[in-house]
């Protein structure tokens, strides 16, 4: 066995060990650039810190400032401690209707500012018995979710809600903003699409981030599907249930199309519908983004674009 062969084998072994040691870190970093960081709570299933998501210009969303979630009505004592003491949540923005909040109110978090910012005008949106819900599903069209997503970005009441949301993010004082609806998928999904667009995140990344709710909600959706089958065997109702609980490209694309049809582009929608001027968009990016400065000895170094 010659010396050259031994050297090659040693280098190969070292390379394998090096890759094995650093691969999880690389995968984690890649995942964060699209999905942010999951916040593991007992009482929720779809909570994510948007920190780490990368923009088209290689800026990154700062960690611990923007958190998307499903409802907070089942938080445990430990969950509440984690949100207040570890994630430093300062404000909770609830997109649900008054009726939804009445039957499943968020657990109280001491010292937290709570803002109700319903996206739907109907005060009883989302409120029904299981039998009523089964009947509603049986009468829905197959494209009802696409129409719902278009409504959320064109209906004046919904636009006003997202306008209010954007202004709240602009007026941040301290702590993280946690915003949510019931499942953290539809109303929260549109809110996330809009804020990520404002921060300069690509449409491709926004879509991947949105679709991640399917994995987060899979177990809950399966449980609720079995519960619904105890009430109805109507195939249309069951098919529409699956459509309503899924995050699909066609849903978010329907919102994008509606924005383009009514406003011409996402930028114009942000300017006109949400009242976010170029100056305000820059202010949001200053608050919520970092910029990659350089790489030193294999480590990325960041510079803040504003005070946290």
């Amino acid at each position: 066995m010659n010396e050259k062969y031994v050297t090659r084998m040693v280098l190969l072994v070292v390379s394998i060990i090096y890759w094995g040691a650093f691969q999880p870190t690389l995968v984690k970093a890649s995942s964060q650039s699209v999905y942010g960081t999951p916040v593991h709570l007992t009482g929720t299933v779809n909570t994510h810190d948007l920190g780490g998501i990368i923009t088209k210009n290689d800026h990154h969303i700062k960690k611990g400032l923007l958190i998307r979630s499903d409802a907070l009505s089942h938080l445990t004592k430990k969950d509440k401690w984690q949100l207040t003491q570890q994630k430093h949540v300062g404000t909770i923005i609830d997109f649900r209707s008054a009726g939804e909040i009445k039957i499943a109110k968020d657990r109280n978090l001491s010292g937290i500012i709570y803002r109700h910012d319903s996206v739907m005008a109907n005060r009883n949106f989302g409120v029904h018995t299981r039998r009523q819900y089964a009947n509603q599903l049986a009468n829905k069209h197959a494209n009802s979710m696409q129409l719902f997503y278009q409504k959320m970005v064109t209906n004046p009441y919904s636009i006003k809600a997202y306008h209010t949301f954007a202004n709240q993010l602009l007026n941040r004082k301290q702590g993280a903003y946690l915003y949510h609806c019931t499942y953290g998928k539809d109303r929260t999904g549109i809110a996330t699409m809009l804020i990520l667009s404002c921060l300069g995140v690509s449409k491709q990344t926004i879509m991947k981030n949105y679709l991640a709710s399917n994995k987060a909600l899979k177990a809950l959706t399966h449980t609720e599907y079995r519960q619904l089958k105890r009430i109805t065997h109507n195939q249309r109702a069951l098919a529409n249930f699956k459509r309503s609980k899924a995050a699909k490209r066609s849903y978010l694309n329907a919102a994008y199309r509606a924005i383009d049809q009514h406003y011409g582009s996402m930028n114009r929608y942000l300017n006109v519908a949400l009242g976010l001027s170029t100056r305000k968009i820059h202010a949001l990016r200053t608050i919520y983004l970092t910029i990659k400065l350089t790489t030193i000895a294999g480590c990325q170094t960041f510079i803040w674009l504003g005070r946290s």
Side-chain angles (χ1 to χ4, degrees):
M1 188 179 295
N2 59 44
E3 185 177 342
K4 185 179 292 186
Y5 176 80
V6 172
T7 301
R8 286 178 178 175
M9 290 302 295
V10 170
L11 289 174
L12 177 61
V13 171
V14 170
S15 297
I16 292 172
I17 294 173
Y18 179 87
W19 175 248
F22 286 94
Q23 187 180 23
T25 302
L26 294 173
V27 171
K28 183 178 179 181
S30 176
S31 176
Q32 284 186 356
S33 70
V34 174
Y35 306 111
T37 306
V39 179
H40 299 292
L41 303 172
T42 302
T44 68
V45 296
N46 197 15
T47 306
H48 274 76
D49 183 338
L50 300 186
I53 294 176
I54 193 169
T55 72
K56 290 177 285 188
N57 294 325
D58 285 336
H59 296 210
H60 290 70
I61 297 178
K62 296 176 186 176
K63 295 181 180 180
L65 295 187
L66 294 170
I67 301 172
R68 58 173 293 171
S69 184
D70 49 324
L72 308 179
S73 51
H74 299 291
L75 294 180
T76 65
K77 185 176 181 180
K78 183 179 178 182
D79 291 339
K80 293 195 285 186
W81 177 86
Q82 188 174 344
L83 289 176
T84 56
Q85 302 303 312
Q86 287 190 332
K87 303 306 294 185
H88 304 291
V89 172
T91 302
I92 293 173
I93 301 170
D94 193 337
F95 292 135
R96 297 177 298 165
S97 70
E100 288 174 305
I101 293 171
K102 185 176 180 179
I103 62 176
K105 190 175 181 180
D106 282 352
R107 293 293 175 89
N108 182 56
L109 275 72
S110 179
I112 303 298
I113 298 171
Y114 179 86
R115 299 191 184 280
H116 179 209
D117 186 19
S118 178
V119 171
M120 307 308 293
N122 183 352
R123 289 180 57 82
N124 288 315
F125 177 87
V127 178
H128 40 60
T129 64
R130 288 180 180 175
R131 175 63 63 183
Q132 289 172 334
Y133 186 42
N135 292 334
Q136 290 172 9
L137 289 169
N139 291 305
K140 284 182 178 292
H141 294 290
N143 69 338
S144 61
M145 287 302 293
Q146 286 88 340
L147 296 176
F148 176 46
Y149 272 65
Q150 290 176 336
K151 182 177 181 179
M152 284 192 286
V153 295
T154 58
N155 179 272
Y157 191 94
S158 300
I159 289 174
K160 182 179 179 181
Y162 289 127
H163 178 275
T164 300
F165 171 61
N167 279 329
Q168 288 169 347
L169 298 187
L170 266 172
N171 296 323
R172 177 183 174 270
K173 302 299 181 184
Q174 60 182 4
Y177 275 96
L178 185 152
Y179 60 97
H180 75 88
C181 51
T182 300
Y183 293 97
K185 174 178 74 76
D186 302 321
R187 289 164 285 185
T188 297
I190 290 293
T192 303
M193 175 190 79
L194 296 174
I195 190 60
L196 292 183
S197 296
C198 185
L199 295 177
V201 176
S202 72
K203 186 175 178 179
Q204 181 182 20
T205 296
I206 292 171
M207 183 63 75
K208 288 180 180 179
N209 183 279
Y210 165 72
L211 294 173
S213 283
N214 285 321
K215 181 178 180 180
L217 297 170
K218 184 177 181 179
L220 178 60
T221 298
H222 180 67
T223 298
E224 292 186 350
Y225 181 76
R226 287 187 301 172
Q227 292 171 344
L228 183 65
K229 285 190 74 174
R230 297 193 189 109
I231 297 172
T232 182
H233 293 289
N234 182 290
Q235 293 304 304
R236 186 173 182 177
L238 294 173
N240 280 330
F241 172 84
K242 289 183 177 180
R243 293 187 184 103
S244 71
K245 299 306 178 184
K248 295 189 176 184
R249 290 180 182 275
S250 61
Y251 301 169
L252 205 61
N253 281 334
Y256 277 117
R257 283 198 306 274
I259 286 172
D260 288 341
Q261 289 169 2
H262 287 79
Y263 294 89
S265 68
M266 175 61 77
N267 283 339
R268 182 163 171 75
Y269 181 84
L270 296 174
N271 294 157
V272 177
L274 300 192
L276 293 173
S277 63
T278 301
R279 180 182 61 81
K280 288 183 177 180
I281 289 175
H282 177 74
L284 281 168
R285 293 182 180 185
T286 298
I287 296 169
Y288 296 102
L289 295 181
T290 64
I291 182 171
K292 187 165 65 176
L293 180 63
T294 186
T295 301
I296 302 175
C299 299
Q300 291 181 337
T301 303
F302 296 89
I303 184 171
W304 297 105
L305 287 182
R307 294 183 298 174
S308 62

